[in-house]
Amino acid sequence: MDKENSALVEQMLNDRRPIHRRPELGWTEFETTSFVANRLKSLGINYQLGIDFLDIPSVQGRDEKSVAKAIGRALEHGVSQEFIEKTGGYTGVVGILDTNRPGPTIAIRADLDAVPVQETSAEEHEAVKGNYVSEIPGVMHACGHDNHMAMLLGTAKILNEVKDELSGDVRL
């Protein structure tokens, strides 16, 4: 593997692990939304938060008590009050890679949420060995969405680097 690809793989691993460590159930992913928004910003990619693009009346399965608890947890773990306010209480983030040239709009999608499963504490488990096991009791990324987000952010980096060769827009 060449140096550039090796660096990209390392970055994806470094993105995946904190997401894996702090899993969040649907509609409570404030830490993950902040993490992804910050990575997109660091890549120079504009983004919108869930409140900006969701059809709020169509949102289903969102529990206000769980959302309030998740906001408190996110604030305790370094998400700024300003960021929380910008979400309007709704999670999700869409990166907008605009090439400033006419063409189609394509979307590349990954989920943020985790599942209500207790992660193993067995010594041979990779997340235990790598010190990124879930810190949230009864919630983990058994679904693979942590990997999906890391791959999406890797894709965002590559597309942003070659955007002068692209036309249209990419939604991430």
Side-chain angles (χ1 to χ4, degrees), residues 20 119-130 133 140:
H20 187 89
E119 187 162 20
T120 183
S121 58
E123 289 181 28
E124 64 274 7
H125 182 52
E126 174 57 34
V128 173
K129 291 191 292 189
V133 70
M140 73 168 290

Side-chain angles (χ1 to χ4, degrees), residues 30 33 49-51 71 82-91:
F30 293 96
T33 296
L49 297 173
I51 192 72
I71 288 171
E82 178 184 11
F83 185 86
I84 294 294
E85 289 170 9
K86 285 180 183 178
T87 70
Y90 289 85
T91 56

